[in-house]
Amino acid sequence: MNFKDKVVLVTGSSRGIGRSIAVKFAKEGASVIINYRSNESEAKAITEIISSYSGNCMCIQADVSKERDVKMMIDTIIEKYGHIDILVNNAGIAIDNDFQNRHVKDWQETLNTNLIGVFLTSKYAGKHMLERQYGKIINISSTNGIDTIYPYSIDYDASKAGLINMTKNLAIEFAPFINVNAVAPGWVDTGMNDDLSKSYLKSEMEKTLLKRFAEPEEIANVVLFLASDMARYIDGETIRVDGGLKMG
Ligand code: NAD
């Protein structure tokens, strides 16, 4: 896959799946924008590594749930590169807690990042993509938004289900110029799951046919496929990447 001359924004890309997606795009020649919310040192470190691959990388601090931040981020990208070709909506949070200890502010925080953040980046980046009549948007949902649901993350699961729905609506809104698709990973080995107990994670691993969690790179592979010309006839779709995770 060759992404030379493509400008790619990956939200929440200082670590985890986003970082892996950013590295892969850079290795394929793209200009990559690292977005981070708070961890400046991690973001700068990955920006330096990526610069050694594609030579064209920048990092921007922006909270995707804040409209002002998103407008500033997209304006900065347009000012520097003149266009934006690929948007990967990867930034996401999960606040695990039992139902009675879950509060409205947990819901708001989760929905603000996982749904409203995607709305904002898609709105402001989509405008520029439409002007050039070219663009790819890939949203990182989750199998939690389909059938492997957990009351401990009730708001996260609802947000990821909402994101699958938003993917279809955005595909309609931006047709026929921008392909909008989603990837729904099962368990992925990242810092997002650090707070979960080892015994719980082991029982979840047992539910996957491949008996292991995904490496972030295995999610990135599918994101790059969806952003490539090979996937040009796929639109409004969600692809599961879950190692054969069985519902439970
Ligand atoms: P992670 O916690 O390692 O990375 C998430 C990144 O998003 C972090 O860098 C974080 O700072 C950033 N972020 C969070 N809120 C933000 C905001 N408001 N603005 C900008 N950046 C923000 O987690 P990950 O596992 O790499 O998750 C990446 C995506 O994959 C998320 O959308 C997550 O829901 C999804 N996902 C993860 C798993 C898994 O098992 N790890 C499974 C399915 C889906």
Side-chain angles (χ1 to χ4, degrees):
M1 278 178 257
N2 187 350
F3 290 99
K4 200 171 165 294
D5 301 326
K6 297 286 188 250
V7 177
V8 185
L9 167 62
V10 186
T11 67
S13 45
S14 62
R15 65 177 223 179
I17 297 170
R19 178 187 156 117
S20 191
I21 294 167
V23 167
K24 247 189 184 324
F25 271 117
K27 283 185 172 168
E28 300 295 334
S31 297
V32 177
I33 296 96
I34 299 289
N35 156 246
Y36 70 100
R37 183 181 47 175
S38 51
N39 199 330
E40 187 177 3
S41 58
E42 265 185 345
K44 289 210 161 135
I46 190 61
T47 305
E48 259 181 46
I49 292 170
I50 285 182
S51 297
S52 71
Y53 301 136
S54 72
N56 211 341
C57 179
M58 72 188 294
C59 76
I60 304 178
Q61 190 281 328
D63 181 335
V64 295
S65 69
K66 298 203 169 111
E67 186 158 19
R68 200 186 45 215
D69 282 22
V70 172
K71 276 172 92 166
M72 175 279 298
M73 175 162 66
I74 302 299
D75 286 350
T76 306
I77 294 166
I78 297 300
E79 208 171 288
K80 175 158 181 179
Y81 297 100
H83 61 103
I84 177 164
D85 301 291
I86 299 163
L87 164 66
V88 184
N89 284 309
N90 165 79
I93 56 166
I95 305 165
D96 288 316
N97 214 342
D98 61 273
F99 190 74
Q100 290 303 336
N101 285 317
R102 186 168 288 285
H103 305 291
V104 169
K105 79 170 179 36
D106 300 326
W107 273 89
Q108 284 167 338
E109 219 181 301
T110 302
L111 298 182
N112 281 347
T113 293
N114 297 6
L115 278 181
I116 293 175
V118 175
F119 160 68
L120 290 172
T121 52
S122 303
K123 176 178 170 177
Y124 290 105
K127 180 173 164 277
H128 294 284
M129 290 174 173
L130 282 177
E131 276 167 16
R132 293 180 73 234
Q133 302 194 347
Y134 180 86
K136 311 278 180 190
I137 298 177
I138 296 113
N139 298 324
I140 308 299
S141 178
S142 168
T143 49
N144 287 51
I146 304 172
D147 55 14
T148 40
I149 46 181
Y150 300 90
Y152 248 59
S153 56
I154 189 168
D155 46 3
Y156 175 83
D157 296 2
S159 75
K160 294 299 183 180
L163 187 51
I164 290 170
N165 181 279
M166 205 198 302
T167 299
K168 295 177 197 167
N169 271 318
L170 289 174
I172 294 167
E173 175 65 24
F174 292 143
F177 303 114
I178 305 173
N179 299 60
V180 187
N181 290 294
V183 176
W187 287 99
V188 187
D189 195 6
T190 72
M192 182 173 255
N193 303 319
D194 279 355
D195 291 341
L196 300 171
S197 78
K198 285 207 161 44
S199 59
Y200 174 64
L201 292 174
K202 191 164 176 279
S203 70
E204 288 301 305
M205 211 175 277
E206 280 306 309
K207 291 181 192 165
T208 67
L209 295 181
L210 299 185
K211 302 295 176 210
R212 64 177 178 84
F213 290 172
E215 292 301 326
E217 191 193 0
E218 291 169 319
I219 308 305
N221 287 339
V222 182
V223 172
L224 265 77
F225 165 68
L226 285 173
S228 77
D229 198 45
M230 283 193 288
R232 63 180 178 263
Y233 203 61
I234 302 176
D235 200 14
E237 200 48 67
T238 297
I239 298 182
R240 289 181 80 120
V241 187
D242 66 1
L245 183 64
K246 293 294 151 222
M247 192 176 150

